[in-house]
Amino acid sequence: MILGTGIDVVHIPALADQLRVPGSPWLDRVLTVRELRHVRARLAASATADEDVNALAVHVGARWAAKEAVVKAWSAALRGCPPPISEEELDYREIEVVHDHWGRPSIELHGRVARAVTDSLTTHATPLGPAAPDPDAPAQTPVTWHVS
């Protein structure tokens, strides 16, 4: 069952400008160490191994868009319920874009975000939003995120 769909786009030139700001902690606040390692490996394997900020923005932008899309899909699934974590408290590093051996992306949730998603989405959904859990109901399957 699909509970919500999220989509996001990133303006790469604007992101590149943001990445050019000296001493900006943006990357460290948004990407995990594993994501940064993957981005650097992709840059090194491409023709832009010189760490061109525009190429960096493309790879970082893809991850940022995926993370924003997860938040939007989660919000859509809650159908009008307030978000369990406010935008100011959301740690985007807890929404991680990972890749399998073939390079296919998927999402891993960590920490507070993982707990909040589990608590808010694995209860029994109704057409009007999550319902109170039924203690006699079978355990719900984990949430699966499809990323493109």
Side-chain angles (χ1 to χ4, degrees):
M1 171 190 331
I2 296 173
L3 298 177
T5 301
I7 188 168
D8 196 70
V9 295
V10 174
H11 187 251
I12 298 301
L15 180 57
D17 288 345
Q18 188 173 3
L19 294 173
R20 284 186 185 96
V21 174
S24 172
W26 191 84
L27 279 177
D28 295 332
R29 286 192 336 254
V30 172
L31 299 182
T32 66
V33 171
R34 182 166 45 171
E35 287 171 318
L36 285 169
R37 195 171 38 243
H38 189 265
V39 165
R40 289 191 177 108
R42 294 283 307 265
L43 288 172
S46 71
T48 58
D50 61 351
E51 297 264 344
D52 180 342
V53 74
N54 292 319
L56 176 64
V58 168
H59 293 290
V60 170
R63 281 149 189 80
W64 177 246
K67 291 171 185 249
E68 284 284 317
V70 165
V71 171
K72 289 175 181 178
W74 182 21
S75 296
L78 294 175
R79 294 180 174 89
C81 296
I85 301 175
S86 73
E87 187 175 347
E88 297 80 28
E89 295 174 326
L90 183 63
D91 184 348
Y92 280 94
R93 293 169 299 183
E94 293 182 343
I95 303 169
E96 186 175 26
V97 179
V98 297
H99 297 83
D100 66 12
H101 294 293
W102 294 277
R104 298 175 300 197
S106 62
I107 300 293
E108 284 186 11
L109 301 180
H110 307 285
R112 186 173 177 206
V113 170
R115 288 187 301 276
V117 165
T118 298
D119 291 347
S120 65
L121 295 184
T122 59
T123 58
H124 302 289
T126 70
L128 300 176
D134 177 357
D136 298 324
Q140 298 293 307
T141 58
V143 174
T144 300
W145 303 93
H146 300 275
V147 181
S148 174

